[in-house]
Amino acid sequence: MTSLTHSPAVAAALKAGKPVVALESTIITHGMPFPQNVETARRVEAVVRAEGAEPATIAVLDGIIHAGLDDAQLEAMGQAKGFLKLSRADLGYAVAKKRNGSTTVAATMIAADRAGIRVFATGGIGGVHRGAEKTYDVSADLQELARTPVCVVCAGAKAILDLPKTLETLETLGVPVVVNGSDEFPAFWSRKSGLPAPLRLDRPEEIAALIRARAELKLDGGVLVGNPIPLEDEIAASEINPAIETAIDEADATGVSGKALTPFLLSRMLSLTEGRSLIANIALVENNARLAARIAAAL
Ligand code: PSU
Ligand code: MN
């Protein structure tokens, strides 16, 4: 595929049968401010390496899908203006027009699959937005999980979304939602959402066995793993909920919608929690990268 290239390190790891973990880049360009975005991207790669796996951060540069970025590319992306936020609908456009773009969960899954990578770590997935019964705003991440065979490790979904509708939609789409070591679906900054875990597994080997069983059964699509944020890093729902309400009210009042909505809510949450949401966000991404590396190794 001429539109996809592996970094030398990722190519070598795949050839040697070493575990590889894909990482997304929308979190860098649209999810966190500079310089914490680049610092986090580097630390997450280091966590994956410390587990004996190879990180493959995914982005589109001049129309080429890169599986694995070098340090200069990561750094440049941290401050770059004009990167498109790419989901399934935009990936072909970015390639054809030779554009730069960061990949959402959906586009990272597609790129990982085409690159031969089976496990992917992120912070939170997109889902059904609150008020979706009026706006129809449902992230393409959910449909991608139903069709592309990549295991996505996340800390659940942010309560800026409608979590019950998000879980219902995943069930309808036939996506297994597994919570690592808990009976409750995690809510990103908080370990608990009040919603029961659809499935629970406690060890990376068990998650790897689930992935293998689904492949043997020729079941399409991925597996979503919810990994609760470590206890010492969590923010109580009572602290985070008022900020969520304010951010959503502001989005309504200013008419922000579509692709711009998730980045808007993330940046407002950062200010409204005076940076506390960012510290928790960094901790949970590292935690997810560690579990993803262990699942990749077990596969
Ligand atoms: N949720 C987060 N952090 C993020 C995102 C979602 O907590 O950075 C990003 C991911 O890249 C996700 C995308 O795939 O936003 C979803 O955007 P949308 O809702 O427009 O599909
Ligand atoms: Mn949307």
Side-chain angles (χ1 to χ4, degrees):
M1 214 186 281
T2 53
S3 54
L4 186 140
T5 184
H6 296 81
S7 69
V10 170
L14 286 171
K15 197 163 172 234
K18 246 181 81 176
V20 177
V21 174
L23 301 165
E24 65 151 304
S25 48
T26 297
I27 195 169
I28 303 174
T29 56
H30 294 73
M32 287 185 186
F34 181 82
Q36 287 95 337
N37 57 354
V38 176
E39 284 162 18
T40 304
R42 287 204 181 106
R43 274 164 62 180
V44 170
E45 290 202 343
V47 166
V48 172
R49 288 200 181 94
E51 291 293 327
E54 186 62 34
T57 302
I58 301 211
V60 179
L61 303 176
D62 297 325
I64 304 289
I65 302 171
H66 286 254
L69 299 179
D70 63 31
D71 201 59
Q73 289 166 327
L74 263 191
E75 174 78 38
M77 225 168 68
Q79 293 189 78
K81 298 273 173 280
F83 264 64
L84 301 171
K85 173 183 161 186
L86 304 174
S87 189
R88 167 174 278 267
D90 326 286
L91 204 51
Y93 171 87
V95 168
K97 296 287 282 178
K98 303 194 170 23
R99 294 288 300 265
N100 291 322
S102 53
T103 50
T104 61
V105 168
T108 305
M109 288 180 75
I110 297 169
D113 175 58
R114 309 310 188 254
I117 302 168
R118 301 268 73 99
V119 185
F120 160 27
T122 183
I125 58 159
V128 180
H129 279 270
R130 296 195 195 181
E133 59 276 17
K134 293 202 186 81
T135 62
Y136 277 42
D137 191 346
V138 178
S139 175
D141 292 353
L142 301 184
Q143 295 232 36
E144 204 57 51
L145 282 159
R147 67 196 285 183
T148 299
V150 170
C151 172
V152 179
V153 181
C154 68
K158 289 199 171 94
I160 56 173
L161 301 171
D162 186 321
L163 298 185
K165 287 194 181 73
T166 299
L167 284 179
E168 286 294 347
T169 303
L170 286 165
E171 189 193 4
T172 303
L173 291 169
V175 177
V177 178
V178 176
V179 180
N180 177 48
S182 168
D183 293 320
E184 259 189 60
F185 186 67
F188 201 82
W189 297 294
S190 320
R191 290 176 61 81
K192 295 186 167 177
S193 64
L195 300 166
L199 302 167
R200 171 179 174 161
L201 293 171
D202 291 352
R203 293 185 303 114
E205 293 75 19
E206 293 176 312
I207 298 170
L210 167 67
I211 295 167
R212 278 195 300 266
R214 293 187 82 259
E216 193 190 315
L217 291 165
K218 297 191 169 51
L219 292 168
D220 296 332
V223 169
L224 184 65
V225 177
N227 192 29
I229 184 172
L231 191 60
E232 60 274 22
D233 300 306
E234 100 169 317
I235 309 180
S238 59
E239 191 181 328
I240 208 84
N241 283 341
I244 293 172
E245 301 291 343
T246 305
I248 291 175
D249 286 349
E250 288 178 0
D252 281 343
T254 51
V256 179
S257 66
K259 271 179 149 356
L261 181 60
T262 297
F264 174 86
L265 293 173
L266 296 182
S267 98
R268 289 305 298 139
M269 288 303 292
L270 174 66
S271 314
L272 291 164
T273 62
E274 290 166 345
R276 222 163 114 47
S277 68
L278 181 60
I279 295 168
N281 200 341
I282 294 169
L284 66 84
V285 180
E286 289 184 17
N287 190 48
N288 295 343
R290 196 170 300 113
L291 177 60
R294 290 178 186 172
I295 295 168
L299 274 175

mmCIF file of all heavy atoms in Angstrom, residues 269-294:
data_model
loop_
_atom_site.group_PDB
_atom_site.id
_atom_site.type_symbol
_atom_site.label_atom_id
_atom_site.label_comp_id
_atom_site.label_asym_id
_atom_site.label_seq_id
_atom_site.Cartn_x
_atom_site.Cartn_y
_atom_site.Cartn_z
ATOM 1 N N MET A 269 -13.166 21.597 29.573
ATOM 2 C CA MET A 269 -13.002 20.825 30.806
ATOM 3 C C MET A 269 -11.646 21.109 31.448
ATOM 4 O O MET A 269 -11.531 21.190 32.668
ATOM 5 C CB MET A 269 -13.099 19.320 30.515
ATOM 6 C CG MET A 269 -14.487 18.831 30.190
ATOM 7 S SD MET A 269 -15.666 19.192 31.472
ATOM 8 C CE MET A 269 -15.075 18.110 32.772
ATOM 9 N N LEU A 270 -10.642 21.286 30.606
ATOM 10 C CA LEU A 270 -9.299 21.580 31.111
ATOM 11 C C LEU A 270 -9.301 22.882 31.903
ATOM 12 O O LEU A 270 -8.800 22.937 33.030
ATOM 13 C CB LEU A 270 -8.333 21.670 29.919
ATOM 14 C CG LEU A 270 -6.913 22.119 30.224
ATOM 15 C CD1 LEU A 270 -6.214 21.089 31.074
ATOM 16 C CD2 LEU A 270 -6.134 22.331 28.938
ATOM 17 N N SER A 271 -9.885 23.935 31.339
ATOM 18 C CA SER A 271 -9.917 25.223 32.057
ATOM 19 C C SER A 271 -10.803 25.138 33.290
ATOM 20 O O SER A 271 -10.433 25.633 34.352
ATOM 21 C CB SER A 271 -10.475 26.340 31.172
ATOM 22 O OG SER A 271 -9.904 26.288 29.917
ATOM 23 N N LEU A 272 -11.969 24.526 33.135
ATOM 24 C CA LEU A 272 -12.933 24.513 34.237
ATOM 25 C C LEU A 272 -12.427 23.726 35.444
ATOM 26 O O LEU A 272 -12.798 24.014 36.577
ATOM 27 C CB LEU A 272 -14.279 23.944 33.765
ATOM 28 C CG LEU A 272 -15.058 24.837 32.785
ATOM 29 C CD1 LEU A 272 -16.150 24.037 32.069
ATOM 30 C CD2 LEU A 272 -15.681 26.024 33.522
ATOM 31 N N THR A 273 -11.559 22.731 35.219
ATOM 32 C CA THR A 273 -11.020 21.966 36.354
ATOM 33 C C THR A 273 -9.629 22.487 36.737
ATOM 34 O O THR A 273 -8.927 21.864 37.526
ATOM 35 C CB THR A 273 -10.903 20.458 36.034
ATOM 36 O OG1 THR A 273 -9.987 20.297 34.937
ATOM 37 C CG2 THR A 273 -12.241 19.850 35.672
ATOM 38 N N GLU A 274 -9.232 23.594 36.154
ATOM 39 C CA GLU A 274 -7.922 24.214 36.402
ATOM 40 C C GLU A 274 -6.782 23.214 36.229
ATOM 41 O O GLU A 274 -5.860 23.148 37.030
ATOM 42 C CB GLU A 274 -7.900 24.856 37.792
ATOM 43 C CG GLU A 274 -8.801 26.082 37.826
ATOM 44 C CD GLU A 274 -9.111 26.573 39.239
ATOM 45 O OE1 GLU A 274 -8.861 25.812 40.183
ATOM 46 O OE2 GLU A 274 -9.610 27.690 39.350
ATOM 47 N N GLY A 275 -6.864 22.447 35.159
ATOM 48 C CA GLY A 275 -5.761 21.556 34.811
ATOM 49 C C GLY A 275 -5.829 20.184 35.453
ATOM 50 O O GLY A 275 -5.084 19.284 35.084
ATOM 51 N N ARG A 276 -6.733 20.010 36.418
ATOM 52 C CA ARG A 276 -6.801 18.719 37.101
ATOM 53 C C ARG A 276 -7.233 17.595 36.155
ATOM 54 O O ARG A 276 -6.758 16.466 36.256
ATOM 55 C CB ARG A 276 -7.789 18.805 38.271
ATOM 56 C CG ARG A 276 -7.245 18.096 39.498
ATOM 57 C CD ARG A 276 -7.942 18.468 40.763
ATOM 58 N NE ARG A 276 -8.682 17.335 41.333
ATOM 59 C CZ ARG A 276 -8.206 16.114 41.485
ATOM 60 N NH1 ARG A 276 -6.983 15.816 41.096
ATOM 61 N NH2 ARG A 276 -8.954 15.158 42.015
ATOM 62 N N SER A 277 -8.114 17.948 35.216
ATOM 63 C CA SER A 277 -8.580 16.917 34.283
ATOM 64 C C SER A 277 -7.412 16.418 33.419
ATOM 65 O O SER A 277 -7.352 15.251 33.063
ATOM 66 C CB SER A 277 -9.702 17.457 33.393
ATOM 67 O OG SER A 277 -9.225 18.437 32.501
ATOM 68 N N LEU A 278 -6.474 17.318 33.123
ATOM 69 C CA LEU A 278 -5.345 16.935 32.266
ATOM 70 C C LEU A 278 -4.409 15.962 32.990
ATOM 71 O O LEU A 278 -3.938 14.992 32.402
ATOM 72 C CB LEU A 278 -4.585 18.194 31.817
ATOM 73 C CG LEU A 278 -3.394 17.959 30.896
ATOM 74 C CD1 LEU A 278 -3.812 17.264 29.607
ATOM 75 C CD2 LEU A 278 -2.705 19.277 30.568
ATOM 76 N N ILE A 279 -4.156 16.225 34.275
ATOM 77 C CA ILE A 279 -3.264 15.344 35.050
ATOM 78 C C ILE A 279 -3.849 13.929 35.103
ATOM 79 O O ILE A 279 -3.152 12.940 34.896
ATOM 80 C CB ILE A 279 -3.047 15.931 36.464
ATOM 81 C CG1 ILE A 279 -2.287 17.260 36.346
ATOM 82 C CG2 ILE A 279 -2.295 14.953 37.360
ATOM 83 C CD1 ILE A 279 -2.264 18.088 37.621
ATOM 84 N N ALA A 280 -5.154 13.854 35.336
ATOM 85 C CA ALA A 280 -5.816 12.544 35.368
ATOM 86 C C ALA A 280 -5.771 11.898 33.984
ATOM 87 O O ALA A 280 -5.511 10.690 33.854
ATOM 88 C CB ALA A 280 -7.262 12.707 35.831
ATOM 89 N N ASN A 281 -5.973 12.711 32.964
ATOM 90 C CA ASN A 281 -5.961 12.206 31.590
ATOM 91 C C ASN A 281 -4.617 11.557 31.248
ATOM 92 O O ASN A 281 -4.558 10.467 30.678
ATOM 93 C CB ASN A 281 -6.233 13.386 30.637
ATOM 94 C CG ASN A 281 -6.722 12.941 29.271
ATOM 95 O OD1 ASN A 281 -6.548 11.801 28.879
ATOM 96 N ND2 ASN A 281 -7.320 13.844 28.537
ATOM 97 N N ILE A 282 -3.529 12.201 31.649
ATOM 98 C CA ILE A 282 -2.193 11.673 31.367
ATOM 99 C C ILE A 282 -2.000 10.343 32.091
ATOM 100 O O ILE A 282 -1.523 9.360 31.516
ATOM 101 C CB ILE A 282 -1.117 12.717 31.771
ATOM 102 C CG1 ILE A 282 -1.233 13.955 30.865
ATOM 103 C CG2 ILE A 282 0.282 12.111 31.692
ATOM 104 C CD1 ILE A 282 -0.406 15.152 31.319
ATOM 105 N N ALA A 283 -2.413 10.298 33.361
ATOM 106 C CA ALA A 283 -2.233 9.068 34.153
ATOM 107 C C ALA A 283 -3.010 7.903 33.548
ATOM 108 O O ALA A 283 -2.503 6.775 33.467
ATOM 109 C CB ALA A 283 -2.694 9.316 35.586
ATOM 110 N N LEU A 284 -4.221 8.171 33.088
ATOM 111 C CA LEU A 284 -5.023 7.046 32.592
ATOM 112 C C LEU A 284 -4.541 6.565 31.219
ATOM 113 O O LEU A 284 -4.618 5.371 30.916
ATOM 114 C CB LEU A 284 -6.523 7.388 32.598
ATOM 115 C CG LEU A 284 -7.068 8.488 31.677
ATOM 116 C CD1 LEU A 284 -7.360 7.963 30.298
ATOM 117 C CD2 LEU A 284 -8.322 9.083 32.283
ATOM 118 N N VAL A 285 -3.990 7.465 30.405
ATOM 119 C CA VAL A 285 -3.463 7.015 29.113
ATOM 120 C C VAL A 285 -2.256 6.095 29.329
ATOM 121 O O VAL A 285 -2.125 5.055 28.683
ATOM 122 C CB VAL A 285 -3.079 8.207 28.194
ATOM 123 C CG1 VAL A 285 -2.529 7.703 26.877
ATOM 124 C CG2 VAL A 285 -4.272 9.098 27.925
ATOM 125 N N GLU A 286 -1.410 6.462 30.283
ATOM 126 C CA GLU A 286 -0.252 5.604 30.584
ATOM 127 C C GLU A 286 -0.717 4.235 31.082
ATOM 128 O O GLU A 286 -0.161 3.203 30.695
ATOM 129 C CB GLU A 286 0.629 6.268 31.653
ATOM 130 C CG GLU A 286 1.380 7.473 31.122
ATOM 131 C CD GLU A 286 2.332 8.064 32.161
ATOM 132 O OE1 GLU A 286 2.652 7.379 33.152
ATOM 133 O OE2 GLU A 286 2.733 9.209 31.966
ATOM 134 N N ASN A 287 -1.703 4.259 31.936
ATOM 135 C CA ASN A 287 -2.250 3.012 32.486
ATOM 136 C C ASN A 287 -2.814 2.125 31.365
ATOM 137 O O ASN A 287 -2.632 0.904 31.363
ATOM 138 C CB ASN A 287 -3.343 3.390 33.497
ATOM 139 C CG ASN A 287 -3.837 2.230 34.326
ATOM 140 O OD1 ASN A 287 -3.042 1.465 34.866
ATOM 141 N ND2 ASN A 287 -5.153 2.100 34.436
ATOM 142 N N ASN A 288 -3.452 2.764 30.382
ATOM 143 C CA ASN A 288 -4.017 2.002 29.257
ATOM 144 C C ASN A 288 -2.926 1.452 28.349
ATOM 145 O O ASN A 288 -3.040 0.345 27.827
ATOM 146 C CB ASN A 288 -4.974 2.891 28.451
ATOM 147 C CG ASN A 288 -6.179 3.305 29.268
ATOM 148 O OD1 ASN A 288 -6.460 2.698 30.293
ATOM 149 N ND2 ASN A 288 -6.872 4.333 28.812
ATOM 150 N N ALA A 289 -1.869 2.239 28.163
ATOM 151 C CA ALA A 289 -0.759 1.789 27.315
ATOM 152 C C ALA A 289 -0.102 0.533 27.914
ATOM 153 O O ALA A 289 0.253 -0.402 27.193
ATOM 154 C CB ALA A 289 0.268 2.908 27.162
ATOM 155 N N ARG A 290 0.008 0.525 29.247
ATOM 156 C CA ARG A 290 0.621 -0.633 29.927
ATOM 157 C C ARG A 290 -0.222 -1.890 29.707
ATOM 158 O O ARG A 290 0.298 -2.943 29.322
ATOM 159 C CB ARG A 290 0.735 -0.307 31.427
ATOM 160 C CG ARG A 290 1.672 -1.212 32.184
ATOM 161 C CD ARG A 290 1.929 -0.670 33.598
ATOM 162 N NE ARG A 290 2.520 0.665 33.575
ATOM 163 C CZ ARG A 290 1.913 1.783 34.011
ATOM 164 N NH1 ARG A 290 0.716 1.738 34.545
ATOM 165 N NH2 ARG A 290 2.535 2.949 33.936
ATOM 166 N N LEU A 291 -1.537 -1.762 29.901
ATOM 167 C CA LEU A 291 -2.407 -2.932 29.712
ATOM 168 C C LEU A 291 -2.389 -3.369 28.245
ATOM 169 O O LEU A 291 -2.319 -4.574 27.948
ATOM 170 C CB LEU A 291 -3.840 -2.615 30.162
ATOM 171 C CG LEU A 291 -4.865 -3.737 29.944
ATOM 172 C CD1 LEU A 291 -4.484 -5.010 30.708
ATOM 173 C CD2 LEU A 291 -6.277 -3.282 30.356
ATOM 174 N N ALA A 292 -2.428 -2.410 27.328
ATOM 175 C CA ALA A 292 -2.419 -2.760 25.893
ATOM 176 C C ALA A 292 -1.148 -3.524 25.534
ATOM 177 O O ALA A 292 -1.198 -4.509 24.784
ATOM 178 C CB ALA A 292 -2.550 -1.494 25.047
ATOM 179 N N ALA A 293 -0.018 -3.094 26.081
ATOM 180 C CA ALA A 293 1.254 -3.778 25.785
ATOM 181 C C ALA A 293 1.200 -5.218 26.294
ATOM 182 O O ALA A 293 1.691 -6.148 25.638
ATOM 183 C CB ALA A 293 2.419 -3.021 26.417
ATOM 184 N N ARG A 294 0.590 -5.398 27.466
ATOM 185 C CA ARG A 294 0.503 -6.761 28.039
ATOM 186 C C ARG A 294 -0.448 -7.644 27.218
ATOM 187 O O ARG A 294 -0.204 -8.836 27.049
ATOM 188 C CB ARG A 294 0.069 -6.684 29.507
ATOM 189 C CG ARG A 294 1.188 -6.091 30.359
ATOM 190 C CD ARG A 294 0.828 -5.927 31.814
ATOM 191 N NE ARG A 294 1.927 -5.209 32.478
ATOM 192 C CZ ARG A 294 1.895 -4.751 33.720
ATOM 193 N NH1 ARG A 294 0.826 -4.946 34.466
ATOM 194 N NH2 ARG A 294 2.940 -4.117 34.224
#
